[in-house]
Structures are given as C-alpha cells and as structure tokens.
C-alpha cells in the first residue's frame, strides 16, 4: 500500500540523549516535511526537503537535524540541545510536478516523551 | 506574516445539529486553503483544497466554502463519528510552506 510510515509511534528518552525519528514514504513524492504539534498550538514546521541531498530550516529548527540521502527517507534527529522535546512529531509529503496540488499528506505521527 | 485563526476553539453538538467551523486568514497572495481532519493520536487526514473565492467542495456531511477573508466548514446533520479536530491551513504557492491554524475540536453527542 502507498503511504507514509513513521516509527517509532511512541518513544521515551532521558534528558541529554539524542533520538532519531524515522519517516519513510513510497508515494514517489519529492518534498518531505517535519512538523511538531503541541497541545493548543498549530503545527509548526521544523525542517523540509524538496529534493534529495537538500533541505531547509523551518520556523523552529533549533535543536533538530535532518538528512535526505534517499527520496523515500527523511529522518529527524532530536538532539539534546532541544529544550522542550516532548511533543507529537508529524512527517508529511507533497508531490512534485503534476502530482503537486499543494496539499500535504501526513504520516501517523511519533510521540516523544522526555523523562 | 501569514496568519490563520480558527474559531471556535471547541464545539459541542448534538447528533443531527448542523453548524459551521470558521477559518479566517491573512496571507499575501493566497494560492490554496486546506482543511484536514485529525483524530486523537493520529496524523491529519486531508479533506479539501480550495483555490479561489466562491469555490465550494463537498464530501458526505461536510461542505467547505471560501471567501477572500475566510473559509467555512459546514457540517450537516453530524454524527458522533464526525468528532475530531479540524485543521485549516493556507499556502502562497504549490511549493510554499503551509501555515496552520490551531484547530477546532468538534464533539458530537449521540
């Protein structure tokens, strides 16, 4: 089935540890995004990538890092420099060319809790 | 800076009681307005894209409309399974980022 797979669904981390959230897609979409969602707030953009080997910072990139070595994969690392990492993290994709009608398609999310 | 304001923050309806959710926006050169549905602990599910004022789209009990300043998501005769958070977002272009509102939590009582 075509889709976006995020893993793990739940993750617990001790303070000072880096963690990596996985996002894989088989939609053949060019662009991939990472958002953070906190209660009572809208989705906030962390990083995005419109093509392999290239990515840009979003509105809240501090304390996060990404890579885009393959079209299908866009992992997000939450580093120990992120001061408030507990949140729900969403990966999204957007088609390119004729596939691009503007909307994003989201994965099921990963909930990170820092203990 | 693009802004999206959704109201009310929460809405409780009786089954069958129709209502509307509002999304007001400020964006320079709107190229698309999107509605999503999000269930607890899940990722947002795409519902509609509206591109120009006067446009309307329907899906089952939902109808989305767009003016130059706001969009409405009308829910006709809602059922408990329509309970969810509804998100609105805007973009300036097909490759531009989306700006999201905070969402409206809808609860429909049987």
């Amino acid at each position: 089935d075509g889709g976006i797979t995020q893993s793990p669904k739940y993750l617990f981390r001790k303070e000072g540890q880096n963690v990596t959230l996985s996002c894989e897609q088989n939609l053949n979409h060019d662009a991939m995004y990472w958002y953070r969602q906190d209660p009572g707030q809208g989705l906030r953009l962390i990083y995005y990538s419109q093509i392999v080997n290239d990515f840009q910072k979003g509105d809240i990139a501090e304390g996060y890092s990404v890579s885009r070595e393959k079209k299908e994969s866009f992992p997000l690392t939450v580093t120990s420099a992120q001061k408030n990492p507990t949140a729900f993290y969403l990966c999204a994709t957007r088609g390119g060319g004729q596939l691009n009608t503007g909307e994003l398609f989201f994965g099921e999310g990963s909930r990170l809790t820092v203990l | 800076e693009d802004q999206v304001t959704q109201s009310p923050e929460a809405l409780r309806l009786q089954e069958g009681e129709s209502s509307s959710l509002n999304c007001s926006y400020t964006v320079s050169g709107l190229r698309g307005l999107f509605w999503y549905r999000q269930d607890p602990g899940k990722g947002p599910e795409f519902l509609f894209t509206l591109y120009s004022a006067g446009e309307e789209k329907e899906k089952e009990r939902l109808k989305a409309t767009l003016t130059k300043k706001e969009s409405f998501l009308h829910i006709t005769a809602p059922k408990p399974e329509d309970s969810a958070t509804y998100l609105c977002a805007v973009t300036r272009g097909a490759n531009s980022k989306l700006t999201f509102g905070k969402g409206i939590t809808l609860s429909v009582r049987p």
Side-chain angles (χ1 to χ4, degrees), chain A residues 37 50 59 94 100-101 104, chain B residues 36 38 51 96-98:
Chain A
Q37 188 174 35
Q50 295 191 334
D59 300 318
R94 182 189 247 170
N100 186 356
T101 48
L104 300 180
Chain B
Y36 289 84
Q38 186 176 24
Y51 294 105
S96 299
K97 71 172 188 175
L98 270 63

Side-chain angles (χ1 to χ4, degrees), chain B residues 61-107:
Chain B
R61 294 177 293 282
L62 300 177
K63 179 180 177 181
T65 62
L66 181 65
T67 73
K68 290 186 177 180
K69 295 182 179 180
E70 58 192 349
S71 175
F72 290 95
L73 185 65
H74 306 278
I75 302 177
T76 301
K79 298 182 178 181
E81 53 261 43
D82 294 321
S83 297
T85 296
Y86 291 86
L87 304 174
C88 173
V90 298
T91 187
R92 298 184 184 187
N95 291 316
S96 299
K97 71 172 188 175
L98 270 63
T99 299
F100 283 84
K102 295 181 179 181
I104 298 170
T105 300
L106 173 67
S107 298

